[in-house]
Amino acid sequence: MQGRFANVIVDISHEKVDRPFAYRIPEKLSGMLEPGMRVRIPFGRGNGLRTGYVIEVTDEAEFDESRLKEIAGIQEDGIQVEGRLIRLAFWMKEHYGSTMINALKTVLPVRQKMKAQEKKEICLRVGREEARGEMLACERKHQTAKARVLRELIAEERLPMGLVAKKLNISPATFKSLRDAGLISVNTVPYYRNPVKLDAAREAGHQLSVNQRRIVDEVLSDYDGGRRRTYLLRGITGSGKTEVYMALIEGVVARGQQAIMLIPEIALTYQTVLRFYKRFGDRVSVMNSTLSAGEKYDQCERARKKEIDVIIGPRSALFTPFPQVGLIIIDEEHEGSYKSETMPKYHARETAEELARLHHASVFLGSATPSLDSYYRAKQGIYRLFTLEERLTGGTLPTVYVEDLREELKSGNRSIFSRRLTRLLEDRFARGEQSMLFLNRRGYAGFVSCRMCGHVMKCPHCDVSLSEHRDGTLVCHYCGYVQKAVRLCPECGSKYVGGFRAGTEQIEEQLLEKYPDRKVLRMDADTTRKKESYEKILSAFAAGEADVLVGTQMIVKGHDFPNVTLMGILAADMSLGVCDHRAGERTFQLLTQAAGRAGRGNRPGEVVIQTYQPEHYSIVHAAAQDYEGFYEEEILYRSLLAYPPVAHILVVQVGAPTREGAEQTARSMRDLAGEVPEGSYVIGPAPASIEKINDVFRYALYIKSPDYGLLTGLKDRMERYLKGQGEADGRVAFDFDPMSPY
Ligand code: ADP
Ligand code: ZN
Ligand code: ZN
């Protein structure tokens, strides 16, 4: 990398990255330095040589050039854990847009101010035979406390002092006198908190099925042959994906490497952790948002010291400082939560692939409904595709009914429940079986449709739905198109035009009104605010404490309730209305997942999908549980409109205290983008979907191109411009291939 100056951090820790030191690069090192490299630098007044990490190489000196010291040399001692993380941060900064400092803060663990906790250990300083003699002597002298300690140490040479003191009721004076007599030593050893507080016997895995075996064998033989790639496993829930993950992890651990297992935070339940614990014992640990900073730090230390081989956690677990990662697994790889919402707005899948490149590791993705992005790559041969088609736990696939809500309205049924759903629900009550009712809350934000004919108000220029602003006007968030409020449906002339406004709470109320002696549990953002309430509701429902569980997205994520034989999806269209290109995909995934909830036991399940658009391909294919069919139609739509994965989108997000400020900055970004080659487009700027949040006005500029490099180039140009401006007139953020509209 060319450049005359390097920014170096001396003490690589989260708090210190804000203070990099600038150095001049001497002629002899010119072009040799890269982020992540360790260098020797003169430091402090005495100019003693110290080790630092290069975090940036630049051509602009931010300080008086003549006063800069020179880098003394490169420290050649192989790649360090930190060096790799710094390289990864550099890649994230380049690939997603952000400052180097923010990128570093994302990948480096927070170092607790307090030191690692410590515990004291006692151990024998003499041989067992001698100790036995001393023990007998103590007993003769009625020094029973001393004798008790010695007896324990003869059985087990090394013991935690606290435990011995408590269990055997030993005073500090006793320990002291044993130590003074030269019989024991007391050592202080660092002690790392382990968030996994389980005590379960180890269990070997299942004998793999032929199909599972084939997958595991291929991946591991690639591994042994030095071939690294990304694999994608599409397999319905219960088809044995997790069992495959565990066999793969065992494989790489047996080869002396470590594994990172990403799962969506919401799926990181007691059951999941227990399953991994039974397989890997305390060589596995978890990382999630409920851990304290100290606990998180300790998991990093355990990883660094190779005290654990496997970490399970949400996307941030990628940055666990393992010395030698062999495998990164991403379960439920289609989940939106794998994309970060703060700068750098990285996607865990792409970042995992980059991390794997740095470690020479493999990446393994799994899902019942893979993201279009991954499946597209698999179809192109970039990823190796595997499929598992059968449920190992037996049980047939559920029967799915699609109920047309327009018909319900025509025949005078204005309630939230279609006639079929009502009939099936009452049937379950009579049989003592359980039901789940799922309401998709996403896309609540004001898409407008006709309840008579299902027509959705769309932008004439963009083929995304318009959204309703508070004054009733309809706005397109892709191009800024505005139209007046509609009172009559332009398609059929009915007056039933508006947004769908029902929440989980209303549904619970209506159920209880209609069936006062039934028990209903509700799970949504309101009822799960407390840390444990999520698990509590689930276990209450599993224990049969309610007939119906009403909830949002949360209830459709992989829980097993054998007694649930009916799943009602109340308004399947809700996410279709959202004005973004992933709406169809998200709807298909949610419906497929939701349908998979019914009939997990040995009784067959039924699923009712209520919708205003029964002919929509997302709904048709979800009802048929036909992923391939959905993929073919969806990818056609993406290619026609140049949406990811066929092309890439860069959203330049602008926030400013005034509307004019936001608009102006957005316009200068537009000007910087200039002319783009054919096949690439610049759209906007337009006001964001929520124009103002916390008194910040928001604008967005969209740039589409099949060439990712073109987009990062434009991003770099804008970043340089903004740096020169001191970012005075508005904050700018970059989002590549966004998961949701800005
Ligand atoms: P998924 O992750 O695809 O939902 P799992 O790996 O959890 O699937 O497997 C579903 C169920 O089948 C689990 O109860 C698991 O213990 C069991 N299972 C998985 N593989 C096998 C196998 N080879 N033989 C027997 N049972 C298996
Ligand atoms: Zn209509
Ligand atoms: Zn538009």
PDB file of all heavy atoms in Angstrom, residues 342-373:
ATOM      1  N   THR A 342     -25.684   0.106  12.516  1.00  0.00           N
ATOM      2  CA  THR A 342     -24.841   1.272  12.754  1.00  0.00           C
ATOM      3  C   THR A 342     -23.574   1.147  11.922  1.00  0.00           C
ATOM      4  O   THR A 342     -23.182   0.056  11.527  1.00  0.00           O
ATOM      5  CB  THR A 342     -24.453   1.379  14.248  1.00  0.00           C
ATOM      6  OG1 THR A 342     -23.878   0.133  14.638  1.00  0.00           O
ATOM      7  CG2 THR A 342     -25.655   1.665  15.106  1.00  0.00           C
ATOM      8  N   MET A 343     -22.943   2.279  11.678  1.00  0.00           N
ATOM      9  CA  MET A 343     -21.753   2.284  10.823  1.00  0.00           C
ATOM     10  C   MET A 343     -20.589   1.583  11.516  1.00  0.00           C
ATOM     11  O   MET A 343     -20.377   1.832  12.684  1.00  0.00           O
ATOM     12  CB  MET A 343     -21.358   3.731  10.541  1.00  0.00           C
ATOM     13  CG  MET A 343     -22.406   4.464   9.741  1.00  0.00           C
ATOM     14  SD  MET A 343     -21.911   4.654   8.030  1.00  0.00           S
ATOM     15  CE  MET A 343     -20.888   6.094   8.108  1.00  0.00           C
ATOM     16  N   PRO A 344     -19.832   0.779  10.841  1.00  0.00           N
ATOM     17  CA  PRO A 344     -20.038   0.332   9.471  1.00  0.00           C
ATOM     18  C   PRO A 344     -21.201  -0.638   9.365  1.00  0.00           C
ATOM     19  O   PRO A 344     -21.288  -1.574  10.179  1.00  0.00           O
ATOM     20  CB  PRO A 344     -18.728  -0.377   9.138  1.00  0.00           C
ATOM     21  CG  PRO A 344     -18.163  -0.794  10.450  1.00  0.00           C
ATOM     22  CD  PRO A 344     -18.625   0.202  11.459  1.00  0.00           C
ATOM     23  N   LYS A 345     -22.076  -0.420   8.392  1.00  0.00           N
ATOM     24  CA  LYS A 345     -23.274  -1.252   8.266  1.00  0.00           C
ATOM     25  C   LYS A 345     -22.918  -2.543   7.558  1.00  0.00           C
ATOM     26  O   LYS A 345     -23.251  -2.757   6.405  1.00  0.00           O
ATOM     27  CB  LYS A 345     -24.355  -0.472   7.536  1.00  0.00           C
ATOM     28  CG  LYS A 345     -24.739   0.790   8.308  1.00  0.00           C
ATOM     29  CD  LYS A 345     -25.985   1.459   7.802  1.00  0.00           C
ATOM     30  CE  LYS A 345     -26.297   2.623   8.739  1.00  0.00           C
ATOM     31  NZ  LYS A 345     -27.528   3.302   8.415  1.00  0.00           N
ATOM     32  N   TYR A 346     -22.232  -3.408   8.286  1.00  0.00           N
ATOM     33  CA  TYR A 346     -21.716  -4.625   7.685  1.00  0.00           C
ATOM     34  C   TYR A 346     -22.749  -5.732   7.690  1.00  0.00           C
ATOM     35  O   TYR A 346     -23.646  -5.757   8.521  1.00  0.00           O
ATOM     36  CB  TYR A 346     -20.456  -5.088   8.423  1.00  0.00           C
ATOM     37  CG  TYR A 346     -20.695  -5.596   9.827  1.00  0.00           C
ATOM     38  CD1 TYR A 346     -20.856  -6.953  10.086  1.00  0.00           C
ATOM     39  CD2 TYR A 346     -20.750  -4.715  10.907  1.00  0.00           C
ATOM     40  CE1 TYR A 346     -21.071  -7.418  11.371  1.00  0.00           C
ATOM     41  CE2 TYR A 346     -20.969  -5.184  12.191  1.00  0.00           C
ATOM     42  CZ  TYR A 346     -21.123  -6.532  12.420  1.00  0.00           C
ATOM     43  OH  TYR A 346     -21.347  -6.998  13.683  1.00  0.00           O
ATOM     44  N   HIS A 347     -22.606  -6.643   6.744  1.00  0.00           N
ATOM     45  CA  HIS A 347     -23.420  -7.846   6.756  1.00  0.00           C
ATOM     46  C   HIS A 347     -22.545  -8.989   7.256  1.00  0.00           C
ATOM     47  O   HIS A 347     -21.434  -9.178   6.777  1.00  0.00           O
ATOM     48  CB  HIS A 347     -23.975  -8.165   5.379  1.00  0.00           C
ATOM     49  CG  HIS A 347     -25.114  -9.130   5.445  1.00  0.00           C
ATOM     50  ND1 HIS A 347     -24.950 -10.434   5.862  1.00  0.00           N
ATOM     51  CD2 HIS A 347     -26.433  -8.979   5.213  1.00  0.00           C
ATOM     52  CE1 HIS A 347     -26.132 -11.044   5.872  1.00  0.00           C
ATOM     53  NE2 HIS A 347     -27.051 -10.190   5.475  1.00  0.00           N
ATOM     54  N   ALA A 348     -23.072  -9.747   8.222  1.00  0.00           N
ATOM     55  CA  ALA A 348     -22.270 -10.799   8.844  1.00  0.00           C
ATOM     56  C   ALA A 348     -21.826 -11.851   7.829  1.00  0.00           C
ATOM     57  O   ALA A 348     -20.760 -12.427   7.959  1.00  0.00           O
ATOM     58  CB  ALA A 348     -23.046 -11.470   9.971  1.00  0.00           C
ATOM     59  N   ARG A 349     -22.632 -12.088   6.788  1.00  0.00           N
ATOM     60  CA  ARG A 349     -22.278 -13.136   5.837  1.00  0.00           C
ATOM     61  C   ARG A 349     -21.036 -12.730   5.058  1.00  0.00           C
ATOM     62  O   ARG A 349     -20.070 -13.491   4.963  1.00  0.00           O
ATOM     63  CB  ARG A 349     -23.442 -13.391   4.887  1.00  0.00           C
ATOM     64  CG  ARG A 349     -23.255 -14.600   4.002  1.00  0.00           C
ATOM     65  CD  ARG A 349     -24.246 -14.614   2.850  1.00  0.00           C
ATOM     66  NE  ARG A 349     -25.580 -14.259   3.268  1.00  0.00           N
ATOM     67  CZ  ARG A 349     -26.264 -13.237   2.756  1.00  0.00           C
ATOM     68  NH1 ARG A 349     -25.737 -12.478   1.833  1.00  0.00           N
ATOM     69  NH2 ARG A 349     -27.471 -12.969   3.193  1.00  0.00           N
ATOM     70  N   GLU A 350     -21.045 -11.522   4.518  1.00  0.00           N
ATOM     71  CA  GLU A 350     -19.898 -11.064   3.740  1.00  0.00           C
ATOM     72  C   GLU A 350     -18.670 -10.901   4.624  1.00  0.00           C
ATOM     73  O   GLU A 350     -17.548 -11.241   4.242  1.00  0.00           O
ATOM     74  CB  GLU A 350     -20.227  -9.726   3.071  1.00  0.00           C
ATOM     75  CG  GLU A 350     -21.357  -9.830   2.070  1.00  0.00           C
ATOM     76  CD  GLU A 350     -22.060  -8.491   1.815  1.00  0.00           C
ATOM     77  OE1 GLU A 350     -21.830  -7.505   2.555  1.00  0.00           O
ATOM     78  OE2 GLU A 350     -22.844  -8.435   0.870  1.00  0.00           O
ATOM     79  N   THR A 351     -18.910 -10.400   5.830  1.00  0.00           N
ATOM     80  CA  THR A 351     -17.804 -10.189   6.750  1.00  0.00           C
ATOM     81  C   THR A 351     -17.209 -11.540   7.173  1.00  0.00           C
ATOM     82  O   THR A 351     -15.990 -11.669   7.307  1.00  0.00           O
ATOM     83  CB  THR A 351     -18.271  -9.371   7.965  1.00  0.00           C
ATOM     84  OG1 THR A 351     -18.954  -8.213   7.470  1.00  0.00           O
ATOM     85  CG2 THR A 351     -17.106  -8.914   8.821  1.00  0.00           C
ATOM     86  N   ALA A 352     -18.075 -12.530   7.339  1.00  0.00           N
ATOM     87  CA  ALA A 352     -17.590 -13.873   7.671  1.00  0.00           C
ATOM     88  C   ALA A 352     -16.712 -14.398   6.537  1.00  0.00           C
ATOM     89  O   ALA A 352     -15.684 -15.036   6.779  1.00  0.00           O
ATOM     90  CB  ALA A 352     -18.760 -14.828   7.905  1.00  0.00           C
ATOM     91  N   GLU A 353     -17.099 -14.119   5.310  1.00  0.00           N
ATOM     92  CA  GLU A 353     -16.301 -14.607   4.187  1.00  0.00           C
ATOM     93  C   GLU A 353     -14.929 -13.932   4.159  1.00  0.00           C
ATOM     94  O   GLU A 353     -13.923 -14.567   3.849  1.00  0.00           O
ATOM     95  CB  GLU A 353     -17.043 -14.369   2.866  1.00  0.00           C
ATOM     96  CG  GLU A 353     -18.292 -15.233   2.772  1.00  0.00           C
ATOM     97  CD  GLU A 353     -18.921 -15.190   1.388  1.00  0.00           C
ATOM     98  OE1 GLU A 353     -19.591 -14.195   1.068  1.00  0.00           O
ATOM     99  OE2 GLU A 353     -18.729 -16.148   0.630  1.00  0.00           O
ATOM    100  N   GLU A 354     -14.903 -12.661   4.516  1.00  0.00           N
ATOM    101  CA  GLU A 354     -13.623 -11.962   4.562  1.00  0.00           C
ATOM    102  C   GLU A 354     -12.761 -12.490   5.722  1.00  0.00           C
ATOM    103  O   GLU A 354     -11.568 -12.727   5.567  1.00  0.00           O
ATOM    104  CB  GLU A 354     -13.864 -10.446   4.712  1.00  0.00           C
ATOM    105  CG  GLU A 354     -12.602  -9.604   4.742  1.00  0.00           C
ATOM    106  CD  GLU A 354     -11.768  -9.708   3.477  1.00  0.00           C
ATOM    107  OE1 GLU A 354     -12.300 -10.149   2.432  1.00  0.00           O
ATOM    108  OE2 GLU A 354     -10.565  -9.370   3.532  1.00  0.00           O
ATOM    109  N   LEU A 355     -13.403 -12.680   6.868  1.00  0.00           N
ATOM    110  CA  LEU A 355     -12.669 -13.219   8.015  1.00  0.00           C
ATOM    111  C   LEU A 355     -12.124 -14.614   7.679  1.00  0.00           C
ATOM    112  O   LEU A 355     -10.990 -14.956   8.028  1.00  0.00           O
ATOM    113  CB  LEU A 355     -13.602 -13.289   9.229  1.00  0.00           C
ATOM    114  CG  LEU A 355     -12.964 -13.780  10.518  1.00  0.00           C
ATOM    115  CD1 LEU A 355     -11.964 -12.768  11.047  1.00  0.00           C
ATOM    116  CD2 LEU A 355     -14.016 -14.067  11.585  1.00  0.00           C
ATOM    117  N   ALA A 356     -12.945 -15.398   6.999  1.00  0.00           N
ATOM    118  CA  ALA A 356     -12.522 -16.745   6.613  1.00  0.00           C
ATOM    119  C   ALA A 356     -11.303 -16.673   5.693  1.00  0.00           C
ATOM    120  O   ALA A 356     -10.393 -17.487   5.779  1.00  0.00           O
ATOM    121  CB  ALA A 356     -13.665 -17.477   5.921  1.00  0.00           C
ATOM    122  N   ARG A 357     -11.285 -15.674   4.823  1.00  0.00           N
ATOM    123  CA  ARG A 357     -10.148 -15.515   3.926  1.00  0.00           C
ATOM    124  C   ARG A 357      -8.873 -15.238   4.741  1.00  0.00           C
ATOM    125  O   ARG A 357      -7.823 -15.810   4.488  1.00  0.00           O
ATOM    126  CB  ARG A 357     -10.422 -14.349   2.968  1.00  0.00           C
ATOM    127  CG  ARG A 357      -9.995 -14.597   1.523  1.00  0.00           C
ATOM    128  CD  ARG A 357     -10.382 -13.422   0.623  1.00  0.00           C
ATOM    129  NE  ARG A 357     -10.037 -12.110   1.167  1.00  0.00           N
ATOM    130  CZ  ARG A 357      -8.793 -11.628   1.233  1.00  0.00           C
ATOM    131  NH1 ARG A 357      -7.789 -12.324   0.779  1.00  0.00           N
ATOM    132  NH2 ARG A 357      -8.573 -10.439   1.769  1.00  0.00           N
ATOM    133  N   LEU A 358      -9.015 -14.395   5.759  1.00  0.00           N
ATOM    134  CA  LEU A 358      -7.851 -14.056   6.581  1.00  0.00           C
ATOM    135  C   LEU A 358      -7.346 -15.248   7.394  1.00  0.00           C
ATOM    136  O   LEU A 358      -6.163 -15.334   7.715  1.00  0.00           O
ATOM    137  CB  LEU A 358      -8.194 -12.888   7.529  1.00  0.00           C
ATOM    138  CG  LEU A 358      -8.502 -11.549   6.852  1.00  0.00           C
ATOM    139  CD1 LEU A 358      -9.017 -10.534   7.856  1.00  0.00           C
ATOM    140  CD2 LEU A 358      -7.258 -11.012   6.155  1.00  0.00           C
ATOM    141  N   HIS A 359      -8.257 -16.140   7.771  1.00  0.00           N
ATOM    142  CA  HIS A 359      -7.869 -17.299   8.583  1.00  0.00           C
ATOM    143  C   HIS A 359      -7.662 -18.550   7.748  1.00  0.00           C
ATOM    144  O   HIS A 359      -7.359 -19.602   8.302  1.00  0.00           O
ATOM    145  CB  HIS A 359      -8.978 -17.625   9.597  1.00  0.00           C
ATOM    146  CG  HIS A 359      -8.941 -16.807  10.840  1.00  0.00           C
ATOM    147  ND1 HIS A 359      -8.196 -17.143  11.937  1.00  0.00           N
ATOM    148  CD2 HIS A 359      -9.570 -15.668  11.179  1.00  0.00           C
ATOM    149  CE1 HIS A 359      -8.376 -16.255  12.897  1.00  0.00           C
ATOM    150  NE2 HIS A 359      -9.204 -15.341  12.459  1.00  0.00           N
ATOM    151  N   HIS A 360      -7.974 -18.488   6.457  1.00  0.00           N
ATOM    152  CA  HIS A 360      -8.015 -19.665   5.605  1.00  0.00           C
ATOM    153  C   HIS A 360      -9.016 -20.669   6.172  1.00  0.00           C
ATOM    154  O   HIS A 360      -8.714 -21.831   6.429  1.00  0.00           O
ATOM    155  CB  HIS A 360      -6.618 -20.300   5.485  1.00  0.00           C
ATOM    156  CG  HIS A 360      -6.498 -21.190   4.289  1.00  0.00           C
ATOM    157  ND1 HIS A 360      -6.897 -20.801   3.032  1.00  0.00           N
ATOM    158  CD2 HIS A 360      -6.045 -22.464   4.164  1.00  0.00           C
ATOM    159  CE1 HIS A 360      -6.684 -21.795   2.187  1.00  0.00           C
ATOM    160  NE2 HIS A 360      -6.168 -22.817   2.842  1.00  0.00           N
ATOM    161  N   ALA A 361     -10.234 -20.174   6.417  1.00  0.00           N
ATOM    162  CA  ALA A 361     -11.303 -20.986   7.003  1.00  0.00           C
ATOM    163  C   ALA A 361     -12.428 -21.183   5.988  1.00  0.00           C
ATOM    164  O   ALA A 361     -12.430 -20.565   4.932  1.00  0.00           O
ATOM    165  CB  ALA A 361     -11.854 -20.295   8.249  1.00  0.00           C
ATOM    166  N   SER A 362     -13.381 -22.052   6.331  1.00  0.00           N
ATOM    167  CA  SER A 362     -14.555 -22.266   5.491  1.00  0.00           C
ATOM    168  C   SER A 362     -15.768 -21.577   6.108  1.00  0.00           C
ATOM    169  O   SER A 362     -15.806 -21.332   7.307  1.00  0.00           O
ATOM    170  CB  SER A 362     -14.879 -23.758   5.377  1.00  0.00           C
ATOM    171  OG  SER A 362     -13.757 -24.452   4.915  1.00  0.00           O
ATOM    172  N   VAL A 363     -16.751 -21.299   5.262  1.00  0.00           N
ATOM    173  CA  VAL A 363     -17.990 -20.692   5.732  1.00  0.00           C
ATOM    174  C   VAL A 363     -19.134 -21.623   5.355  1.00  0.00           C
ATOM    175  O   VAL A 363     -19.180 -22.136   4.238  1.00  0.00           O
ATOM    176  CB  VAL A 363     -18.212 -19.306   5.084  1.00  0.00           C
ATOM    177  CG1 VAL A 363     -19.558 -18.708   5.512  1.00  0.00           C
ATOM    178  CG2 VAL A 363     -17.080 -18.352   5.440  1.00  0.00           C
ATOM    179  N   PHE A 364     -20.040 -21.853   6.314  1.00  0.00           N
ATOM    180  CA  PHE A 364     -21.150 -22.757   6.062  1.00  0.00           C
ATOM    181  C   PHE A 364     -22.447 -22.062   6.439  1.00  0.00           C
ATOM    182  O   PHE A 364     -22.648 -21.681   7.585  1.00  0.00           O
ATOM    183  CB  PHE A 364     -20.958 -24.034   6.892  1.00  0.00           C
ATOM    184  CG  PHE A 364     -21.835 -25.170   6.471  1.00  0.00           C
ATOM    185  CD1 PHE A 364     -21.412 -26.089   5.521  1.00  0.00           C
ATOM    186  CD2 PHE A 364     -23.112 -25.308   7.015  1.00  0.00           C
ATOM    187  CE1 PHE A 364     -22.234 -27.139   5.130  1.00  0.00           C
ATOM    188  CE2 PHE A 364     -23.940 -26.352   6.622  1.00  0.00           C
ATOM    189  CZ  PHE A 364     -23.504 -27.274   5.676  1.00  0.00           C
ATOM    190  N   LEU A 365     -23.330 -21.860   5.460  1.00  0.00           N
ATOM    191  CA  LEU A 365     -24.589 -21.162   5.701  1.00  0.00           C
ATOM    192  C   LEU A 365     -25.742 -22.161   5.704  1.00  0.00           C
ATOM    193  O   LEU A 365     -25.723 -23.115   4.930  1.00  0.00           O
ATOM    194  CB  LEU A 365     -24.851 -20.135   4.589  1.00  0.00           C
ATOM    195  CG  LEU A 365     -23.695 -19.232   4.174  1.00  0.00           C
ATOM    196  CD1 LEU A 365     -24.065 -18.448   2.914  1.00  0.00           C
ATOM    197  CD2 LEU A 365     -23.347 -18.283   5.309  1.00  0.00           C
ATOM    198  N   GLY A 366     -26.737 -21.917   6.550  1.00  0.00           N
ATOM    199  CA  GLY A 366     -27.886 -22.815   6.566  1.00  0.00           C
ATOM    200  C   GLY A 366     -29.183 -22.055   6.737  1.00  0.00           C
ATOM    201  O   GLY A 366     -29.216 -21.020   7.406  1.00  0.00           O
ATOM    202  N   SER A 367     -30.238 -22.559   6.103  1.00  0.00           N
ATOM    203  CA  SER A 367     -31.557 -21.943   6.262  1.00  0.00           C
ATOM    204  C   SER A 367     -32.609 -22.819   5.607  1.00  0.00           C
ATOM    205  O   SER A 367     -32.309 -23.577   4.683  1.00  0.00           O
ATOM    206  CB  SER A 367     -31.564 -20.563   5.609  1.00  0.00           C
ATOM    207  OG  SER A 367     -32.886 -20.049   5.563  1.00  0.00           O
ATOM    208  N   ALA A 368     -33.846 -22.688   6.096  1.00  0.00           N
ATOM    209  CA  ALA A 368     -34.955 -23.366   5.423  1.00  0.00           C
ATOM    210  C   ALA A 368     -35.375 -22.542   4.208  1.00  0.00           C
ATOM    211  O   ALA A 368     -35.876 -23.069   3.225  1.00  0.00           O
ATOM    212  CB  ALA A 368     -36.126 -23.521   6.386  1.00  0.00           C
ATOM    213  N   THR A 369     -35.172 -21.255   4.309  1.00  0.00           N
ATOM    214  CA  THR A 369     -35.548 -20.334   3.233  1.00  0.00           C
ATOM    215  C   THR A 369     -34.386 -19.382   2.988  1.00  0.00           C
ATOM    216  O   THR A 369     -34.391 -18.256   3.468  1.00  0.00           O
ATOM    217  CB  THR A 369     -36.777 -19.499   3.652  1.00  0.00           C
ATOM    218  OG1 THR A 369     -36.508 -18.918   4.929  1.00  0.00           O
ATOM    219  CG2 THR A 369     -38.033 -20.318   3.713  1.00  0.00           C
ATOM    220  N   PRO A 370     -33.355 -19.833   2.275  1.00  0.00           N
ATOM    221  CA  PRO A 370     -32.160 -18.986   2.111  1.00  0.00           C
ATOM    222  C   PRO A 370     -32.482 -17.621   1.518  1.00  0.00           C
ATOM    223  O   PRO A 370     -33.474 -17.473   0.802  1.00  0.00           O
ATOM    224  CB  PRO A 370     -31.306 -19.795   1.129  1.00  0.00           C
ATOM    225  CG  PRO A 370     -31.769 -21.189   1.238  1.00  0.00           C
ATOM    226  CD  PRO A 370     -33.225 -21.120   1.568  1.00  0.00           C
ATOM    227  N   SER A 371     -31.657 -16.667   1.845  1.00  0.00           N
ATOM    228  CA  SER A 371     -31.812 -15.341   1.268  1.00  0.00           C
ATOM    229  C   SER A 371     -31.626 -15.447  -0.242  1.00  0.00           C
ATOM    230  O   SER A 371     -30.891 -16.306  -0.724  1.00  0.00           O
ATOM    231  CB  SER A 371     -30.761 -14.396   1.845  1.00  0.00           C
ATOM    232  OG  SER A 371     -29.471 -14.864   1.496  1.00  0.00           O
ATOM    233  N   LEU A 372     -32.291 -14.550  -0.964  1.00  0.00           N
ATOM    234  CA  LEU A 372     -32.114 -14.523  -2.418  1.00  0.00           C
ATOM    235  C   LEU A 372     -30.637 -14.343  -2.739  1.00  0.00           C
ATOM    236  O   LEU A 372     -30.118 -14.907  -3.690  1.00  0.00           O
ATOM    237  CB  LEU A 372     -32.916 -13.351  -2.999  1.00  0.00           C
ATOM    238  CG  LEU A 372     -34.245 -13.652  -3.654  1.00  0.00           C
ATOM    239  CD1 LEU A 372     -34.052 -14.012  -5.113  1.00  0.00           C
ATOM    240  CD2 LEU A 372     -35.015 -14.746  -2.942  1.00  0.00           C
ATOM    241  N   ASP A 373     -29.959 -13.534  -1.949  1.00  0.00           N
ATOM    242  CA  ASP A 373     -28.545 -13.240  -2.179  1.00  0.00           C
ATOM    243  C   ASP A 373     -27.721 -14.520  -2.215  1.00  0.00           C
ATOM    244  O   ASP A 373     -26.925 -14.746  -3.115  1.00  0.00           O
ATOM    245  CB  ASP A 373     -28.007 -12.326  -1.070  1.00  0.00           C
ATOM    246  CG  ASP A 373     -28.821 -11.071  -0.925  1.00  0.00           C
ATOM    247  OD1 ASP A 373     -28.567 -10.114  -1.659  1.00  0.00           O
ATOM    248  OD2 ASP A 373     -29.750 -11.062  -0.094  1.00  0.00           O
TER     249      ASP A 373
END
